[in-house]
């Protein structure tokens, strides 16, 4: 397992994926910072028209609580897209680039290779969560946001990492789509469909039982007045993660690899 | 005690996709140290056969034993003695040649740190060792694919079209390498190819496969007996040649700008035919004894039935 993880880590490290994911999530944190910058001065927010209006939708005022909330919410939705694309790359590339066949008859079993991909992906996604938090701290400090407290900072970290964990679990089926579909497109398609449906189902009021809506509800994207997902919602997220990983490993092990 | 069991024992292997039998009840055995070639046209079933041997495709019926162990899901350790290259060689384009090989070495659990360097040298990849795989020519990509198959010094090598993309020098090099592996190191080789002449020069046994059926197995030493000698003649006045041969009782068929005679008398005594044509006033401009090559034999075997 250690060898397979090292191999997957090398493949990821030498690709553009780490930089692209860092860039994407940096933009998320910077946009949040921009909103806080606008909200810090209401006059300036109104003067900036639409952007000001958007910033007002994100939060009513610029402080640490609002910024941590924004980061968690953005991580819930943006993370789904970024992590989904990363998982699509991790698995779909083996088929798009024709390297999958070289992984199928080795002393290192196919299940181990699939597990190594998930391990490397999950570790990187958690690192990304930590990075967004640290970048958020730097941006918030640079903006001089009011309302700082140690308790708030820990709670903000907890919420951000919890959304990262949930999002990581929810992109596991993307691996199955990219594998069974033998390329990038099916994975991307699955991810887009999941993000789209999450918005619709949440708007209809059933988000607490639709796993892909759960991180957004948990992070407060639907508003503080909406109730939290509940045990069933979290259990479904766990089920999607475990089931997606198992189904992917099972497909690699059992399906005919004839292309 | 040395084992005499076959290194590959495929029994009644069949793979069906709906009504189509990609491979139809193929049985074959490859003995230790043998180079066995699966020869067939594109779509004949060679790659499906190889994927079944490697456990990538589950047979609809039949079974495979490699190196004495039945190919089954979860029996991963057996692959430590098998090297393979299936279809077009692929590599991680952002990794260098050495890194691609290091990836295989790690996944194969190799502990010898010299393994990568040794195979790089053996396959003539030293000049490209630090190059990214994505920048390699087709021929060097093929060498890298072969290096991945041989890095762990396997007892059995299964290669799908190993000469693809190689220039003539590269083909000769790989031929020499495989012959050396088989003769000097006792490595057994199963390869597929549609390059008939190459197969004839390399394999100890050839299995002709077409439409999923193993039509015939031929020992290379028997190839000579399959070849039919013919006398090919041409002269400036073709009509007069035809007439002279007819009068002499030799059946000739038109072939390009000349005629082909399969009559044993003519093939054995081409000088008599030359004298005959000179006497008839149409001295030959070409007079050559040829033999049916494997290609002709092969095409006759696989012609539409």
């Amino acid at each position: 397992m250690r060898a397979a993880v090292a191999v997957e880590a090398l493949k990821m490290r030498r690709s553009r994926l780490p930089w692209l994911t860092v860039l994407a999530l940096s933009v998320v944190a910077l946009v949040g910072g921009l909103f806080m910058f606008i909200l810090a001065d209401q006059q300036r927010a109104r003067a900036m028209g639409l952007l000001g209006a958007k910033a007002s939708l994100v939060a009513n005022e610029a402080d640490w609580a609002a910024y941590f909330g924004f980061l968690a919410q953005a991580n819930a939705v943006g993370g789904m897209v970024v992590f989904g694309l990363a998982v699509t790359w991790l698995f779909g590339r083996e088929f798009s680039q024709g390297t999958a066949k070289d992984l199928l008859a080795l002393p290192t079993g196919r299940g181990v290779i699939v597990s190594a991909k998930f391990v490397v992906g999950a570790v990187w996604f958690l690192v990304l969560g930590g990075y967004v938090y640290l970048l958020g701290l730097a941006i918030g400090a640079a903006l001089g946001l009011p309302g700082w407290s140690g308790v708030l900072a820990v709670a903000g970290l907890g919420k951000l990492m919890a959304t990262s964990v949930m999002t990581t679990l929810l992109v596991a089926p993307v691996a199955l789509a990219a594998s069974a579909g033998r390329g990038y497109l099916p994975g991307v398609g699955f991810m887009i469909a999941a993000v789209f449906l999450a918005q619709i189902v949440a708007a209809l009021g059933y988000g607490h039982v639709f796993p892909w809506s759960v991180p957004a509800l948990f992070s407060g994207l639907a508003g503080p007045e909406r109730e939290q997902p509940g045990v069933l919602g979290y259990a479904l997220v766990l089920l999607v993660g475990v089931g997606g990983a198992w189904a992917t490993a099972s497909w690699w092990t059992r399906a005919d690899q004839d292309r | 005690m040395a084992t005499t069991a076959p290194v590959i024992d495929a029994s009644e292997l069949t793979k069906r996709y709906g009504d189509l039998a990609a491979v139809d009840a193929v049985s074959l055995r490859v003995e230790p140290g043998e180079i066995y070639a699966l020869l067939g046209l594109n779509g004949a079933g060679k790659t499906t056969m190889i994927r079944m041997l490697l456990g990538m495709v589950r047979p609809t019926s039949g079974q495979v034993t490699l190196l004495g162990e039945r190919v089954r899901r979860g029996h991963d350790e057996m692959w430590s003695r098998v090297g393979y290259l299936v279809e077009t060689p692929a590599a991680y384009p952002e990794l260098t040649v050495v890194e691609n090989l290091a990836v295989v070495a790690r996944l194969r659990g190799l502990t010898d740190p010299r393994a990568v360097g040794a195979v790089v040298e053996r396959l003539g990849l030293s000049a490209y060792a630090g190059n990214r795989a994505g920048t390699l020519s087709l021929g060097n990509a093929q060498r890298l694919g072969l290096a991945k198959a041989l890095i762990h010094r396997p007892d059995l090598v299964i290669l799908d079209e190993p000469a693809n993309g190689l220039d003539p020098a590269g083909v000769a090099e790989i031929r020499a390498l495989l012959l050396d592996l088989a003769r000097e190191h006792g490595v057994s080789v199963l390869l597929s190819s549609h390059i008939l002449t190459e197969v004839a020069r390399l394999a100890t046994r050839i299995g002709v496969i077409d439409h999923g059926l193993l039509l015939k197995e031929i020992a290379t030493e028997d190839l000579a007996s399959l070849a039919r000698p013919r006398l090919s003649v041409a002269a400036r006045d073709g009509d007069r040649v035809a007439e002279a041969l007819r009068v002499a009782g030799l059946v000739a068929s038109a072939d390009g700008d000349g005629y082909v005679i399969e009559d044993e008398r003519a093939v054995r005594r081409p000088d008599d035919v030359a004298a005959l044509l000179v006497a008839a006033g149409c001295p030959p401009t070409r007079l050559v004894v040829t033999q049916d090559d494997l290609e002709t034999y092969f095409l006759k075997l696989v012609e539409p039935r």
Side-chain angles (χ1 to χ4, degrees), chain B residues 27 131 150 161 178 187 211 218 241 246 254 285 292:
Chain B
S27 296
N131 291 18
L150 300 174
E161 306 276 2
L178 294 178
V187 174
H211 289 92
I218 312 157
V241 169
R246 191 188 61 76
T285 53
D292 251 7

Side-chain angles (χ1 to χ4, degrees), chain A residues 76-92:
Chain A
V77 180
M80 189 84 81
V81 175
V82 173
F83 296 179
L85 287 174
V87 167
T88 296
W89 181 86
L90 273 170
F91 287 86

Side-chain angles (χ1 to χ4, degrees), chain A residues 207-223:
Chain A
H208 60 290
V209 288
F210 187 65
W212 287 275
S213 302
V214 167
L217 290 179
F218 167 78
S219 65
L221 190 62

Side-chain angles (χ1 to χ4, degrees), chain B residues 171-194:
Chain B
V171 171
E173 214 175 298
I174 297 305
R175 185 197 314 136
L177 174 70
L178 294 178
L179 285 171
D180 177 66
L181 284 173
R183 288 174 185 168
E184 305 301 324
H185 303 280
V187 174
S188 311
V189 180
L190 180 138
L191 58 91
S192 76
S193 180
H194 61 269

Side-chain angles (χ1 to χ4, degrees), chain A residues 3 6-7 11 14 93-94 97-99 101-102 104-110 253-254 256-259, chain B residues 15 17 51 55-58 73 76 79-80 84 86 88 90 92-95 99 103 106-108 148:
Chain A
V7 162
K11 281 151 63 176
R14 295 297 303 274
R93 66 148 336 171
E94 305 287 2
Q97 297 178 344
T99 45
K101 58 182 184 280
D102 291 343
L104 300 175
L106 296 172
T108 303
R110 301 177 202 176
T253 310
R254 293 165 190 269
D256 274 355
Q257 304 289 344
D258 51 8
R259 272 181 279 169
Chain B
K15 184 62 186 180
Y17 294 100
R51 283 185 182 264
M56 296 178 186
V57 168
R58 190 182 303 181
R73 192 172 64 234
D76 300 319
W79 302 118
S80 60
Y84 68 94
V86 178
T88 318
Y92 299 108
E94 68 277 12
L95 302 187
E99 286 171 334
V103 161
R106 292 200 81 150
L107 293 177
R108 287 198 169 279
K148 286 158 74 175

Side-chain angles (χ1 to χ4, degrees), chain B residues 87-280:
Chain B
E87 292 186 290
T88 318
Y92 299 108
E94 68 277 12
L95 302 187
T96 66
V97 166
V98 164
E99 286 171 334
N100 267 287
L101 291 167
V103 161
V104 178
R106 292 200 81 150
L107 293 177
R108 287 198 169 279
L110 303 186
T111 52
D112 183 355
R114 293 164 300 179
V116 171
V119 82
V120 161
E121 197 167 319
R122 192 168 205 190
L123 269 297
L125 285 165
S126 300
Y128 311 97
N131 291 18
R132 290 188 177 195
T135 65
L136 293 179
S137 66
L138 185 57
N140 283 327
Q142 186 75 8
R143 285 169 194 269
L144 176 56
L146 287 166
K148 286 158 74 175
L150 300 174
I151 189 171
H152 55 302
R153 298 183 177 274
D155 297 323
L156 169 64
V157 184
I158 297 177
L159 305 170
D160 194 5
E161 306 276 2
N164 257 3
L166 294 173
D167 58 26
V171 171
E173 214 175 298
I174 297 305
R175 185 197 314 136
L177 174 70
L178 294 178
L179 285 171
D180 177 66
L181 284 173
R183 288 174 185 168
E184 305 301 324
H185 303 280
V187 174
S188 311
V189 180
L190 180 138
L191 58 91
S192 76
S193 180
H194 61 269
I195 305 174
L196 313 174
T197 48
E198 192 49 42
V199 157
R201 296 167 82 172
L202 179 62
T204 48
R205 213 146 46 93
I206 298 168
V208 178
I209 188 168
D210 189 49
H211 289 92
L213 292 165
L214 187 64
L215 299 179
K216 197 168 184 68
E217 287 184 304
I218 312 157
T220 312
E221 62 207 33
D222 295 336
L223 280 179
S225 65
L226 298 170
R228 272 184 308 164
R230 304 179 302 174
L231 180 66
S232 175
V233 297
R236 289 198 179 85
D237 190 342
D239 292 342
R240 197 176 281 186
V241 169
E243 179 60 17
L245 294 174
R246 191 188 61 76
V247 169
L250 294 170
V251 178
S253 52
D255 182 28
D257 62 342
Y259 293 88
V260 168
I261 310 161
E262 294 189 354
D263 191 300
E264 200 180 335
R265 292 171 295 158
V267 172
R268 279 191 181 170
R269 307 282 305 255
D271 50 331
D272 286 354
V273 175
L276 173 78
L277 295 178
V278 169

